[in-house]
Amino acid sequence: MQKIDEAPYYKHANFLNQQYRLIKPLIYSRCYYNEWPLSYINRLSVMNGYSKINWLVQDELNSPIKNKISNLLAYRLAYKNGWSIPSFFLKGVRTLSANLKYINTHTLRICPLCLKLALYIRYEWMFLFSSTCLIHNVLLQDFCPDCGKQNDHVSVYHNKCECGKKITEFSLQLASEQCYLIQRVIENKKTNHKTIDKLNHINKLKIVYFIFLIISPKNIQFAEKQSITMRDNIIISERLAHTLFGGKEGFWYFLNHFIHSIDKYSKKLMPFYRQFNRCFKFDLFSEYKRYLYEFINLYWRNHIADKNTLFSKSILANHAWPSISKVKDQFKLTESLIIKATAKGFIRSETIYNEQYFMEHHKPRYYRLYYKPDIIKQLPMLQGTISFNKVCLLLGTTKRQLNSLIKNNHFNFTIAPEEAYRYLEENIIV
Ligand SMILES: [Zn+2]
Ligand SMILES: [Zn+2]
């Protein structure tokens, strides 16, 4: 699981306080209503033959900006001047500009067919998980299919890759339904998913991002680059769609991924659970929460203390892996019987390494958890067992006579350690 960074974007952009302005170049046109502002400034720069876009952004003393131009600054600059501001305002452009972590920053994805209509970068391509052009239903592309070179602003605005290939002539690939669905989610468009459609744009992005951090393939060096190649993005989009649109099966896939993606999940469950509830906080997600409860109850092979306030009462009551003391209390069974039934294979159990104990006492320690559904299944038998001596009394046999009865298979069920046979009561009554 990758680190979840909640730091607001504005922290990284404190230089915004300075007064910068966009220089009106010789050749210019307005920003398109859905044009990505930073790409717009790049477009002005290429149109006018500048070598660097920083020439176009100057401070009060008319010297060009030294820092890298951020996406939010580009948005503010493009939307400030009468000559550059788009004639039509799209809320999504501002939402994305102000939320750094949902922007794909290091590669440039394009739709060749859109570029054929007009040579500019659409904001819809800039989301971290953008994979599809919803107008043409084709996959976006981040490199030249002929020479493999990554797209950049210069080649896009000149409509020519370094190898000579026209960007608008890139070969096309149809988008899968999963990519199409996720694209609709991140563009804040309807998907016929009752719950997701009711969320606002930022909350949709938040949930997609949260799931991504869990299900992304391990080899993606995402944290350093804040960028995903289209090849990885297609895999991610399919997993995202499966999680959000795959019903219970899809959501369990996601939860399973969480369990397997981390080594020491005993420590990670709490942060995950908290984060989960923060992301899926709406009542609308009660269905997903139920899946999580069911999942924890079934697969969480770890101890959950009764005093844990994070979990609901129903999780604590239904947790499938209780400790021996809990089993004793709840089912009125003796410790030796539980251990013997486990040794015989009637109850599945897991040995858990107590990491916390080791940290504190520097000695290894293990504890055992028992699978509750097995206990419930075997309960009539377990509660119906009585001791060797009691059988002798009931049947009026000597110990030797009883032993020979056992050897001749007169009892359907015995639990073995020699010194303490236990028998099913009903066998004796019959
Ligand atoms: Zn298109
Ligand atoms: Zn090329």
mmCIF file of all heavy atoms in Angstrom, residues 82-112:
data_model
loop_
_atom_site.group_PDB
_atom_site.id
_atom_site.type_symbol
_atom_site.label_atom_id
_atom_site.label_comp_id
_atom_site.label_asym_id
_atom_site.label_seq_id
_atom_site.Cartn_x
_atom_site.Cartn_y
_atom_site.Cartn_z
ATOM 1 N N GLY A 82 -8.485 39.523 -20.002
ATOM 2 C CA GLY A 82 -9.599 39.595 -20.947
ATOM 3 C C GLY A 82 -9.301 38.881 -22.243
ATOM 4 O O GLY A 82 -10.190 38.282 -22.856
ATOM 5 N N TRP A 83 -8.038 38.892 -22.665
ATOM 6 C CA TRP A 83 -7.696 38.323 -23.977
ATOM 7 C C TRP A 83 -7.467 36.813 -23.943
ATOM 8 O O TRP A 83 -7.446 36.154 -24.982
ATOM 9 C CB TRP A 83 -6.449 39.008 -24.549
ATOM 10 C CG TRP A 83 -5.229 38.910 -23.655
ATOM 11 C CD1 TRP A 83 -4.865 39.796 -22.688
ATOM 12 C CD2 TRP A 83 -4.254 37.887 -23.648
ATOM 13 N NE1 TRP A 83 -3.717 39.392 -22.067
ATOM 14 C CE2 TRP A 83 -3.305 38.214 -22.634
ATOM 15 C CE3 TRP A 83 -4.054 36.702 -24.379
ATOM 16 C CZ2 TRP A 83 -2.206 37.415 -22.352
ATOM 17 C CZ3 TRP A 83 -2.955 35.930 -24.099
ATOM 18 C CH2 TRP A 83 -2.039 36.275 -23.087
ATOM 19 N N SER A 84 -7.249 36.260 -22.708
ATOM 20 C CA SER A 84 -6.933 34.824 -22.655
ATOM 21 C C SER A 84 -8.063 33.973 -22.066
ATOM 22 O O SER A 84 -8.172 32.785 -22.347
ATOM 23 C CB SER A 84 -5.652 34.606 -21.833
ATOM 24 O OG SER A 84 -5.865 35.023 -20.493
ATOM 25 N N ILE A 85 -8.883 34.591 -21.248
ATOM 26 C CA ILE A 85 -9.909 33.823 -20.522
ATOM 27 C C ILE A 85 -10.883 33.129 -21.484
ATOM 28 O O ILE A 85 -11.278 33.704 -22.500
ATOM 29 C CB ILE A 85 -10.649 34.743 -19.514
ATOM 30 C CG1 ILE A 85 -11.472 33.909 -18.533
ATOM 31 C CG2 ILE A 85 -11.518 35.765 -20.223
ATOM 32 C CD1 ILE A 85 -11.942 34.711 -17.320
ATOM 33 N N PRO A 86 -11.228 31.861 -21.202
ATOM 34 C CA PRO A 86 -12.158 31.159 -22.110
ATOM 35 C C PRO A 86 -13.520 31.836 -22.128
ATOM 36 O O PRO A 86 -13.922 32.444 -21.139
ATOM 37 C CB PRO A 86 -12.273 29.766 -21.486
ATOM 38 C CG PRO A 86 -11.198 29.661 -20.487
ATOM 39 C CD PRO A 86 -10.821 31.029 -20.076
ATOM 40 N N SER A 87 -14.224 31.705 -23.217
ATOM 41 C CA SER A 87 -15.534 32.338 -23.317
ATOM 42 C C SER A 87 -16.589 31.530 -22.560
ATOM 43 O O SER A 87 -17.684 31.996 -22.319
ATOM 44 C CB SER A 87 -15.930 32.510 -24.785
ATOM 45 O OG SER A 87 -15.590 31.346 -25.495
ATOM 46 N N PHE A 88 -16.229 30.316 -22.195
ATOM 47 C CA PHE A 88 -17.171 29.462 -21.477
ATOM 48 C C PHE A 88 -16.424 28.810 -20.329
ATOM 49 O O PHE A 88 -15.295 28.369 -20.472
ATOM 50 C CB PHE A 88 -17.720 28.403 -22.441
ATOM 51 C CG PHE A 88 -18.677 27.437 -21.813
ATOM 52 C CD1 PHE A 88 -19.981 27.824 -21.534
ATOM 53 C CD2 PHE A 88 -18.273 26.136 -21.500
ATOM 54 C CE1 PHE A 88 -20.863 26.928 -20.952
ATOM 55 C CE2 PHE A 88 -19.160 25.243 -20.920
ATOM 56 C CZ PHE A 88 -20.460 25.643 -20.646
ATOM 57 N N PHE A 89 -17.049 28.787 -19.143
ATOM 58 C CA PHE A 89 -16.348 28.375 -17.938
ATOM 59 C C PHE A 89 -16.727 26.946 -17.545
ATOM 60 O O PHE A 89 -17.907 26.623 -17.438
ATOM 61 C CB PHE A 89 -16.694 29.368 -16.819
ATOM 62 C CG PHE A 89 -16.065 29.016 -15.504
ATOM 63 C CD1 PHE A 89 -14.739 29.324 -15.262
ATOM 64 C CD2 PHE A 89 -16.797 28.395 -14.500
ATOM 65 C CE1 PHE A 89 -14.155 29.010 -14.051
ATOM 66 C CE2 PHE A 89 -16.221 28.074 -13.293
ATOM 67 C CZ PHE A 89 -14.898 28.387 -13.067
ATOM 68 N N LEU A 90 -15.723 26.097 -17.328
ATOM 69 C CA LEU A 90 -15.970 24.692 -16.974
ATOM 70 C C LEU A 90 -15.444 24.430 -15.558
ATOM 71 O O LEU A 90 -14.265 24.580 -15.290
ATOM 72 C CB LEU A 90 -15.241 23.790 -17.970
ATOM 73 C CG LEU A 90 -15.831 22.417 -18.262
ATOM 74 C CD1 LEU A 90 -17.256 22.516 -18.779
ATOM 75 C CD2 LEU A 90 -14.959 21.698 -19.288
ATOM 76 N N LYS A 91 -16.357 24.034 -14.672
ATOM 77 C CA LYS A 91 -15.992 23.877 -13.265
ATOM 78 C C LYS A 91 -14.877 22.842 -13.059
ATOM 79 O O LYS A 91 -14.002 23.019 -12.217
ATOM 80 C CB LYS A 91 -17.244 23.444 -12.489
ATOM 81 C CG LYS A 91 -17.226 23.861 -11.036
ATOM 82 C CD LYS A 91 -18.554 23.534 -10.386
ATOM 83 C CE LYS A 91 -18.353 23.346 -8.896
ATOM 84 N NZ LYS A 91 -19.460 22.641 -8.277
ATOM 85 N N GLY A 92 -14.927 21.787 -13.858
ATOM 86 C CA GLY A 92 -13.948 20.703 -13.698
ATOM 87 C C GLY A 92 -12.508 21.156 -13.848
ATOM 88 O O GLY A 92 -11.604 20.614 -13.225
ATOM 89 N N VAL A 93 -12.274 22.197 -14.702
ATOM 90 C CA VAL A 93 -10.905 22.675 -14.925
ATOM 91 C C VAL A 93 -10.345 23.242 -13.628
ATOM 92 O O VAL A 93 -9.209 22.960 -13.254
ATOM 93 C CB VAL A 93 -10.873 23.757 -16.037
ATOM 94 C CG1 VAL A 93 -9.458 24.286 -16.211
ATOM 95 C CG2 VAL A 93 -11.389 23.188 -17.341
ATOM 96 N N ARG A 94 -11.172 23.991 -12.903
ATOM 97 C CA ARG A 94 -10.701 24.567 -11.644
ATOM 98 C C ARG A 94 -10.514 23.474 -10.593
ATOM 99 O O ARG A 94 -9.521 23.443 -9.875
ATOM 100 C CB ARG A 94 -11.688 25.613 -11.118
ATOM 101 C CG ARG A 94 -11.080 26.402 -9.961
ATOM 102 C CD ARG A 94 -12.072 27.322 -9.325
ATOM 103 N NE ARG A 94 -13.202 26.581 -8.776
ATOM 104 C CZ ARG A 94 -14.318 27.155 -8.355
ATOM 105 N NH1 ARG A 94 -14.462 28.442 -8.465
ATOM 106 N NH2 ARG A 94 -15.290 26.428 -7.851
ATOM 107 N N THR A 95 -11.488 22.563 -10.501
ATOM 108 C CA THR A 95 -11.399 21.467 -9.534
ATOM 109 C C THR A 95 -10.079 20.727 -9.690
ATOM 110 O O THR A 95 -9.358 20.491 -8.723
ATOM 111 C CB THR A 95 -12.553 20.464 -9.758
ATOM 112 O OG1 THR A 95 -13.776 21.184 -9.688
ATOM 113 C CG2 THR A 95 -12.540 19.363 -8.717
ATOM 114 N N LEU A 96 -9.749 20.389 -10.926
ATOM 115 C CA LEU A 96 -8.537 19.607 -11.162
ATOM 116 C C LEU A 96 -7.272 20.457 -10.938
ATOM 117 O O LEU A 96 -6.303 19.984 -10.354
ATOM 118 C CB LEU A 96 -8.559 19.035 -12.578
ATOM 119 C CG LEU A 96 -7.454 18.025 -12.903
ATOM 120 C CD1 LEU A 96 -7.457 16.877 -11.914
ATOM 121 C CD2 LEU A 96 -7.609 17.500 -14.315
ATOM 122 N N SER A 97 -7.309 21.720 -11.373
ATOM 123 C CA SER A 97 -6.126 22.589 -11.210
ATOM 124 C C SER A 97 -5.723 22.728 -9.754
ATOM 125 O O SER A 97 -4.555 22.872 -9.430
ATOM 126 C CB SER A 97 -6.405 23.978 -11.784
ATOM 127 O OG SER A 97 -6.685 23.894 -13.150
ATOM 128 N N ALA A 98 -6.709 22.720 -8.870
ATOM 129 C CA ALA A 98 -6.447 22.964 -7.456
ATOM 130 C C ALA A 98 -6.142 21.687 -6.682
ATOM 131 O O ALA A 98 -5.911 21.730 -5.493
ATOM 132 C CB ALA A 98 -7.629 23.681 -6.835
ATOM 133 N N ASN A 99 -6.159 20.552 -7.342
ATOM 134 C CA ASN A 99 -5.936 19.285 -6.634
ATOM 135 C C ASN A 99 -4.821 18.488 -7.279
ATOM 136 O O ASN A 99 -5.046 17.564 -8.047
ATOM 137 C CB ASN A 99 -7.232 18.473 -6.602
ATOM 138 C CG ASN A 99 -8.220 19.067 -5.630
ATOM 139 O OD1 ASN A 99 -8.133 18.856 -4.427
ATOM 140 N ND2 ASN A 99 -9.149 19.872 -6.147
ATOM 141 N N LEU A 100 -3.618 18.857 -6.899
ATOM 142 C CA LEU A 100 -2.411 18.319 -7.509
ATOM 143 C C LEU A 100 -2.396 16.798 -7.597
ATOM 144 O O LEU A 100 -1.971 16.214 -8.573
ATOM 145 C CB LEU A 100 -1.195 18.803 -6.716
ATOM 146 C CG LEU A 100 0.151 18.276 -7.167
ATOM 147 C CD1 LEU A 100 0.555 18.899 -8.488
ATOM 148 C CD2 LEU A 100 1.226 18.548 -6.123
ATOM 149 N N LYS A 101 -2.874 16.137 -6.547
ATOM 150 C CA LYS A 101 -2.660 14.695 -6.528
ATOM 151 C C LYS A 101 -3.540 13.929 -7.508
ATOM 152 O O LYS A 101 -3.324 12.756 -7.723
ATOM 153 C CB LYS A 101 -2.801 14.140 -5.111
ATOM 154 C CG LYS A 101 -4.173 14.119 -4.536
ATOM 155 C CD LYS A 101 -4.095 13.453 -3.161
ATOM 156 C CE LYS A 101 -5.442 13.343 -2.529
ATOM 157 N NZ LYS A 101 -5.363 12.728 -1.216
ATOM 158 N N TYR A 102 -4.504 14.608 -8.124
ATOM 159 C CA TYR A 102 -5.325 13.915 -9.121
ATOM 160 C C TYR A 102 -4.889 14.237 -10.546
ATOM 161 O O TYR A 102 -5.552 13.885 -11.502
ATOM 162 C CB TYR A 102 -6.798 14.280 -8.928
ATOM 163 C CG TYR A 102 -7.292 14.023 -7.526
ATOM 164 C CD1 TYR A 102 -7.899 15.030 -6.775
ATOM 165 C CD2 TYR A 102 -7.140 12.769 -6.943
ATOM 166 C CE1 TYR A 102 -8.341 14.788 -5.476
ATOM 167 C CE2 TYR A 102 -7.571 12.525 -5.652
ATOM 168 C CZ TYR A 102 -8.174 13.546 -4.917
ATOM 169 O OH TYR A 102 -8.601 13.300 -3.642
ATOM 170 N N ILE A 103 -3.765 14.962 -10.688
ATOM 171 C CA ILE A 103 -3.292 15.343 -12.020
ATOM 172 C C ILE A 103 -2.146 14.429 -12.445
ATOM 173 O O ILE A 103 -1.258 14.125 -11.662
ATOM 174 C CB ILE A 103 -2.776 16.800 -12.033
ATOM 175 C CG1 ILE A 103 -3.838 17.758 -11.490
ATOM 176 C CG2 ILE A 103 -2.371 17.207 -13.442
ATOM 177 C CD1 ILE A 103 -3.317 19.168 -11.258
ATOM 178 N N ASN A 104 -2.188 14.023 -13.708
ATOM 179 C CA ASN A 104 -1.082 13.282 -14.288
ATOM 180 C C ASN A 104 -0.077 14.300 -14.812
ATOM 181 O O ASN A 104 -0.380 15.078 -15.705
ATOM 182 C CB ASN A 104 -1.606 12.411 -15.428
ATOM 183 C CG ASN A 104 -0.507 11.637 -16.093
ATOM 184 O OD1 ASN A 104 0.263 10.954 -15.428
ATOM 185 N ND2 ASN A 104 -0.415 11.747 -17.403
ATOM 186 N N THR A 105 1.134 14.345 -14.252
ATOM 187 C CA THR A 105 2.001 15.483 -14.560
ATOM 188 C C THR A 105 3.143 15.200 -15.534
ATOM 189 O O THR A 105 3.629 16.112 -16.175
ATOM 190 C CB THR A 105 2.626 16.067 -13.277
ATOM 191 O OG1 THR A 105 3.218 15.001 -12.550
ATOM 192 C CG2 THR A 105 1.591 16.743 -12.418
ATOM 193 N N HIS A 106 3.595 13.950 -15.632
ATOM 194 C CA HIS A 106 4.835 13.755 -16.373
ATOM 195 C C HIS A 106 4.677 13.220 -17.787
ATOM 196 O O HIS A 106 5.632 13.210 -18.545
ATOM 197 C CB HIS A 106 5.782 12.847 -15.585
ATOM 198 C CG HIS A 106 6.575 13.613 -14.581
ATOM 199 N ND1 HIS A 106 5.981 14.195 -13.486
ATOM 200 C CD2 HIS A 106 7.891 13.930 -14.518
ATOM 201 C CE1 HIS A 106 6.920 14.824 -12.780
ATOM 202 N NE2 HIS A 106 8.074 14.672 -13.394
ATOM 203 N N THR A 107 3.507 12.745 -18.129
ATOM 204 C CA THR A 107 3.321 12.308 -19.513
ATOM 205 C C THR A 107 2.166 13.111 -20.110
ATOM 206 O O THR A 107 1.362 13.682 -19.380
ATOM 207 C CB THR A 107 2.986 10.809 -19.598
ATOM 208 O OG1 THR A 107 1.761 10.570 -18.888
ATOM 209 C CG2 THR A 107 4.085 9.947 -19.005
ATOM 210 N N LEU A 108 2.128 13.134 -21.422
ATOM 211 C CA LEU A 108 1.083 13.894 -22.106
ATOM 212 C C LEU A 108 0.234 12.926 -22.914
ATOM 213 O O LEU A 108 0.706 12.334 -23.881
ATOM 214 C CB LEU A 108 1.761 14.932 -23.020
ATOM 215 C CG LEU A 108 0.929 16.109 -23.476
ATOM 216 C CD1 LEU A 108 0.353 16.874 -22.294
ATOM 217 C CD2 LEU A 108 1.780 17.027 -24.347
ATOM 218 N N ARG A 109 -1.001 12.725 -22.453
ATOM 219 C CA ARG A 109 -1.894 11.805 -23.160
ATOM 220 C C ARG A 109 -2.766 12.581 -24.135
ATOM 221 O O ARG A 109 -3.247 13.654 -23.808
ATOM 222 C CB ARG A 109 -2.783 11.073 -22.161
ATOM 223 C CG ARG A 109 -1.998 10.282 -21.128
ATOM 224 C CD ARG A 109 -2.940 9.703 -20.102
ATOM 225 N NE ARG A 109 -2.201 9.152 -18.979
ATOM 226 C CZ ARG A 109 -2.643 9.182 -17.734
ATOM 227 N NH1 ARG A 109 -3.812 9.727 -17.449
ATOM 228 N NH2 ARG A 109 -1.911 8.659 -16.771
ATOM 229 N N ILE A 110 -2.959 12.001 -25.290
ATOM 230 C CA ILE A 110 -3.749 12.712 -26.312
ATOM 231 C C ILE A 110 -4.704 11.757 -27.037
ATOM 232 O O ILE A 110 -4.506 10.540 -27.062
ATOM 233 C CB ILE A 110 -2.830 13.387 -27.359
ATOM 234 C CG1 ILE A 110 -1.861 12.364 -28.007
ATOM 235 C CG2 ILE A 110 -2.018 14.513 -26.741
ATOM 236 C CD1 ILE A 110 -2.273 11.878 -29.338
ATOM 237 N N CYS A 111 -5.776 12.355 -27.597
ATOM 238 C CA CYS A 111 -6.641 11.616 -28.526
ATOM 239 C C CYS A 111 -6.368 12.167 -29.913
ATOM 240 O O CYS A 111 -6.599 13.350 -30.171
ATOM 241 C CB CYS A 111 -8.112 11.806 -28.158
ATOM 242 S SG CYS A 111 -9.226 11.264 -29.477
ATOM 243 N N PRO A 112 -5.846 11.339 -30.843
ATOM 244 C CA PRO A 112 -5.502 11.839 -32.183
ATOM 245 C C PRO A 112 -6.708 12.447 -32.916
ATOM 246 O O PRO A 112 -6.555 13.421 -33.653
ATOM 247 C CB PRO A 112 -5.010 10.585 -32.914
ATOM 248 C CG PRO A 112 -4.616 9.629 -31.829
ATOM 249 C CD PRO A 112 -5.532 9.913 -30.684
#
